Amino acid sequence: MGRFTVMSMTDSAAERVKAILAAQGADALGLRVGIKKGGCAGMEYTIDLAREAKPNEDAIEHDGARVFVAPEAVLFLLGTEMDYEETVLRSGFTFRNPNQTSACGCGESVELKQADLAALAGRGA
């Protein structure tokens, strides 16, 4: 069975990750993406600075940018694409997540289901 990537990053997200890390100094290894309970839809994405890798974390690299995925978030983030967008009203990381079933009206929280591992195995992931 081949190795698959939990999550992917767009070029825009990778550039923003690199800019954040450059401003943090040499001991910043990457960003850590996770999820937590919260918001009106039930869950929120979290993004923190990673100064060390934690046991059992997946690391995603794209164009020199590194993002760690918290182990407890993996089943909710399988197949997700991380992007960075700047609009007139806001700027920030966005997530295109096939495991998202709904989102709140303000866009700050989401409802997620665990990835269907049987379906992924059938696709040869």
Side-chain angles (χ1 to χ4, degrees), residues 2-17:
R3 175 100 171 115
F4 65 92
T5 303
V6 172
M7 204 172 79
S8 62
M9 266 186 285
T10 64
D11 292 342
S12 180
E15 288 304 314
R16 184 62 183 148
V17 169

Side-chain angles (χ1 to χ4, degrees), residues 1 4 11 21 34 39 41 49-50 55 62 78 80 86 92 97 109 116 118 124:
M1 186 167 173
F4 65 92
D11 292 342
L21 297 180
L49 189 62
H62 178 72
L78 281 171
T80 298
E86 289 186 22
N97 186 339
S109 65
D116 182 349

Side-chain angles (χ1 to χ4, degrees), residues 6-65:
V6 172
M7 204 172 79
S8 62
M9 266 186 285
T10 64
D11 292 342
S12 180
E15 288 304 314
R16 184 62 183 148
V17 169
K18 289 189 292 189
I20 290 169
L21 297 180
Q24 294 298 317
D27 67 334
L29 290 180
L31 294 183
R32 180 169 290 111
V33 174
I35 55 169
K36 68 177 184 177
K37 290 184 179 186
C40 50
M43 299 182 114
E44 299 173 329
Y45 294 103
T46 62
I47 300 176
D48 298 302
L49 189 62
R51 296 197 184 277
E52 63 184 0
K54 293 183 178 179
N56 302 318
E57 279 188 319
D58 283 277
I60 291 88
E61 294 192 37
H62 178 72
D63 196 27

Side-chain angles (χ1 to χ4, degrees), residues 1 4 74-76 78 99 113-125:
M1 186 167 173
F4 65 92
V74 167
L75 285 178
F76 295 98
L78 281 171
N99 307 305
K113 64 177 176 62
Q114 289 187 358
D116 182 349
L117 297 179
L120 286 171
R123 288 191 296 170

